[in-house]
Structure formats: C-alpha cells, structure tokens
Amino acid sequence: GAVVSQHPSRVICKSGTSVKIECRSLDFQATTMFWYRQFPKKSLMLMATSNEGSKATYEQGVEKDKFLINHASLTLSTLTVTSAHPEDSSFYICSARSPVTGDNEQFFGPGTRLTVL
Amino acid sequence: GQQLNQSPQSMFIQEGEDVSMNCTSSSIFNTWLWYKQDPGEGPVLLIALYKAGELTSNGRLTAQFGITRKDSFLNISASIPSDVGIYFCAALSYNTDKLIFGTGTRLQVFP
C-alpha cells in the first residue's frame, strides 16, 4: 500500500512552453499532497502544499503563477510549470500522506526530471 | 528557519562494515523519518520515529529518536552493495505537516 506515481518520468521541452506533471496516489486517498524540487546533489525543497478542493499553499519564494498546482480529486494533483525556462530544469518530486499508515508519514513518487532547452 | 544538520556528508565504506549517520537541529520535533533515495528516484521511507527515546529497527537498519527531540541517528549494520544511495533524515514539528529534510548522506559501499 501507499504507492504514489508520477507522470511523466522525464520531459524535455523548449523554452517558453508549459509542462504538466501528474502525481497520483494509487491505493489510497490523499487530501494533502506536496510538491518538492531537488537540484543535483542537493536535498529536497518544499515548493507547495496541495489540498484537495482548495488553493495550494506556496512556500516563500515560489511563484504561484509560475508553478500552477491543481488538486482536483483525492488521488490526483498536478503541477504545471508555465512558460518554462532553462533555470526551471530540475527534478520534481511529489509526495502524499497516507491515512492508513499515519498522518506524519509521507510517501514519495518516483520523480519527474524536467529539462528545458 | 528550521534546519537539520546531517552528517557525515558522504561515506565510503567496505562491504560488511557498519554505518552510522545522524541529524541534529536547534529545534524540537515530534516526528523523525529516515529516507533512502536512489539516483533518479524518489525517496523511500525506511523508518519512522514518533516518541522521544524510541529505538526502531527495520532489518539491518536501526534508528533512534533523540531524548531531547532535537536529534536522530540511523545505523546500518553489515552493509551490502545495494545500500548505496543517499540517506535523508526528515522531521516534523507540532501543528505542521511540512517535512524538513536534512542535507543528505551519500553512501558508497565497496565490495
């Protein structure tokens, strides 16, 4: 149980295009999902908290108009990188809390590597 | 802001050796978690700790929640090549659902 998937696993796009990344909880319902960004050889940095049926809460310094988050159902959250630029290239990882295992444990997706040319 | 200081930054050990890494903070937390991340993958939860002083094992892995609530350690016994990866500590404080991650420990195991 507590499996989280992400799609796509990697994407290469041209500068100026928008890219959508999906995060799904496969065997549980997640009222809260989290989006992280990770640079090479660095730790995970929380970008935003995605709440089902309401607006996402963004961390300081994260542009909400740049990184659009939608949590339309209890099993799906999407992150859209709008008008992507090379500096947006990174490894994006989502996570979800499983109500089965406890409120404090987050289970992570496999990540999406975004490369903007 | 809250920070987790994780050490060592990297370790190069021989297969069969034991490994120890730790995380410290100036802040108090009510949950400590240890994750392992393989290259190009998301972190995988290894051990979760909920009580100060708690000592929990998962196979060859043992982790403890420090009595002061400001630290935690992870031990790996009899390391094997598949233990290679990056280990992250993470912590939660009261009244928040935001995980704070340590800086990571990169483990290399040589046969």
Side-chain angles (χ1 to χ4, degrees):
Chain A
V3 178
V4 177
S5 71
Q6 271 182 253
H7 178 79
S9 58
R10 58 180 62 212
V11 56
I12 301 173
C13 69
K14 293 182 179 180
S15 185
T17 60
S18 293
V19 175
K20 179 186 284 187
I21 303 170
E22 293 184 348
C23 178
R24 295 182 185 273
S25 55
L26 297 185
D27 50 1
F28 64 98
Q29 294 183 330
T31 55
T32 304
M33 292 184 174
F34 304 87
W35 286 96
Y36 295 82
R37 184 173 181 177
Q38 186 179 31
F39 290 105
K41 298 186 179 181
K42 297 294 184 182
S43 188
L44 284 76
M45 292 186 59
L46 181 65
M47 298 174 66
T49 302
S50 171
N51 299 297
E52 188 267 337
S54 64
K55 292 183 179 180
T57 304
Y58 290 83
E59 294 301 298
Q60 191 173 9
V62 178
E63 299 176 58
K64 61 180 181 180
D65 295 329
K66 173 76 171 176
F67 300 99
L68 299 178
I69 292 173
N70 184 278
H71 195 154
S73 77
L74 288 172
T75 59
L76 173 64
S77 175
T78 60
L79 168 68
T80 301
V81 183
T82 62
S83 187
H85 287 92
E87 58 266 29
D88 298 324
S89 298
S90 190
F91 194 51
Y92 293 88
I93 312 173
C94 71
S95 73
R97 286 203 311 234
S98 166
V100 175
T101 57
D103 289 340
N104 291 339
E105 297 177 14
Q106 289 186 23
F107 294 87
F108 287 81
T112 296
R113 184 163 302 283
L114 171 63
T115 303
V116 185
L117 303 176
Chain B
Q2 295 175 318
Q3 288 186 321
L4 299 184
N5 301 307
Q6 188 171 346
S7 66
Q9 185 175 8
S10 60
M11 301 182 73
F12 299 84
I13 63 169
Q14 199 162 19
E15 184 176 0
E17 290 185 356
D18 297 342
V19 172
S20 183
M21 60 191 77
N22 67 82
C23 269
T24 61
S25 175
S26 58
S27 302
I28 292 175
F29 295 99
N30 71 321
T31 300
W32 283 91
L33 306 168
W34 284 91
Y35 289 89
K36 182 191 177 200
Q37 185 178 30
D38 290 328
E41 299 289 333
V44 175
L45 181 65
L46 299 174
I47 293 180
L49 301 160
Y50 297 105
K51 296 180 182 179
E54 179 182 358
L55 184 71
T56 298
S57 293
N58 178 9
R60 294 179 295 107
L61 278 61
T62 301
Q64 185 160 32
F65 190 145
I67 197 71
T68 65
R69 295 181 175 271
K70 295 181 179 181
D71 62 341
S72 176
F73 72 74
L74 174 70
N75 286 343
I76 305 173
S77 63
S79 59
I80 59 178
S82 61
D83 290 334
V84 167
I86 303 176
Y87 293 79
F88 289 102
C89 62
L92 276 169
S93 55
Y94 290 103
N95 300 319
T96 181
D97 54 7
K98 297 181 184 178
L99 271 182
I100 298 171
F101 277 84
T103 48
T105 296
R106 185 178 297 269
L107 178 64
Q108 284 280 10
V109 180
F110 296 100

